[in-house]
Amino acid sequence: MQTLKAVIFDLDGVITDTAEYHYLAWDSLANELGLPFDRQFNEKLKGVSRMESLELILSLRDTVYTDEQKHRLAVKKNEVYKEMINKITPADLLPGIENLLMELREAGIRTALASASKNAPFILDRLEAAHYLDHVVDVNMIASGKPDPEIFLTGAARLGVEPTQCIGIEDAEAGIQAILAAGMYAVGVGAPAQMQKADLIVSSTAELSLSLLQSNFKKKS
Ligand code: BG6
Ligand code: MG
């Protein structure tokens, strides 16, 4: 039987509701370009890097963009997004998250952040939550994004634990795939339809607690 040694968190949509800000910022860019973007399409972008997300959005039409144009569009989206995240305060931690982070710390279970976002360190700072995490994976050092397991495996390696001793928490399908491909226990936050493969699904972060995680992790291992 495995002992739970670490919990590796996604950021956007798990620790704070920045998934909504990403959506609003992409929506504003898509409107400007006259592209038929909606919330359903946005689901495909969750957990996916900025440039890959842009490519997906631009694929909604046949227009060909140069690399320089794409770069400018990505910068534009990020400027809109940065305006939004500038206003983040510790009150924007999603329900139950701070409590869970405190419980993990008290129990000596290690924690890491595995976010695809280059804005992650800034957001953690605004949330005043960086001190709860033992390691923040530097996404600039990651070659393959989610659903590749690299970011979660890097988190486990940095914490000095085996993947099978870890739980990963995600709100995106690509993220759940990455956690499972890493050989970790996958907890999905969101609607069951999008979280099909997760080991455990909660509809809200408010349901998360150390005892819930530990008892379900034990059942599987
Ligand atoms: C992920 C989000 O966490 O980060 C994606 O789920 C986002 O929606 C990606 O595209 C990259 O974020 P950023 O902040 O580097 O543009
Ligand atoms: Mg997310």
Side-chain angles (χ1 to χ4, degrees):
M1 201 174 86
Q2 288 287 1
T3 310
L4 176 62
K5 292 258 176 80
V7 177
I8 305 185
F9 291 83
D10 174 43
L11 173 71
D12 297 319
V14 170
I15 288 184
T16 187
D17 199 14
T18 32
E20 180 65 12
Y21 295 159
H22 278 297
Y23 163 71
L24 292 171
W26 285 127
D27 189 52
S28 134
L29 186 75
N31 272 338
E32 206 176 301
L33 299 174
L35 296 170
F37 179 72
D38 58 18
R39 281 188 184 272
Q40 198 189 335
F41 189 86
N42 183 62
E43 286 302 313
K44 294 188 199 173
L45 312 183
K46 289 188 177 172
V48 174
S49 75
R50 194 181 308 163
M51 285 316 287
E52 281 177 85
S53 298
L54 178 68
E55 295 284 358
L56 284 168
I57 290 178
L58 295 181
S59 75
L60 285 165
R61 218 174 29 212
D62 289 341
T63 317
V64 176
Y65 294 86
T66 64
D67 284 350
E68 201 203 320
Q69 283 171 321
K70 286 181 194 167
H71 174 75
R72 258 191 274 125
L73 292 173
V75 168
K76 199 168 203 180
K77 180 266 174 177
N78 197 46
E79 289 305 317
V80 175
Y81 182 67
K82 283 203 304 196
E83 287 252 324
M84 297 178 190
I85 59 176
N86 247 325
K87 295 178 191 127
I88 288 178
T89 73
D92 291 306
L93 278 163
L94 278 169
I97 290 295
E98 187 163 25
N99 191 52
L100 176 61
L101 288 165
M102 285 193 300
E103 285 186 318
L104 292 168
R105 180 106 315 166
E106 261 169 44
I109 294 171
R110 311 209 71 204
T111 52
L113 190 80
S115 170
S117 172
K118 295 189 173 166
N119 291 295
F122 176 80
I123 293 170
L124 279 184
D125 217 47
R126 297 286 319 165
L127 292 167
E128 297 176 17
H131 65 100
Y132 285 123
L133 294 155
D134 295 311
H135 184 74
V136 176
V137 178
D138 180 356
V139 68
N140 297 300
M141 308 298 283
I142 299 297
S144 311
K146 301 168 188 177
D148 190 281
E150 184 183 355
I151 194 164
F152 283 96
L153 290 173
T154 304
R158 291 285 190 281
L159 295 178
V161 297
E162 293 299 322
T164 49
Q165 300 172 318
C166 298
I167 286 178
I169 310 183
E170 265 286 351
D171 70 321
E173 204 181 331
I176 295 291
Q177 285 170 15
I179 295 169
L180 293 172
M184 298 178 184
Y185 186 92
V187 176
V189 180
Q194 278 138 28
M195 294 289 142
Q196 272 170 19
K197 300 196 184 101
D199 294 301
L200 172 70
I201 301 165
V202 293
S203 58
S204 149
T205 53
E207 290 169 43
L208 294 170
S209 69
L210 177 57
S211 64
L212 179 88
L213 295 185
Q214 247 165 350
S215 58
N216 282 281
F217 181 81
K218 263 190 208 143
K219 271 188 234 157
K220 187 167 182 202
S221 60

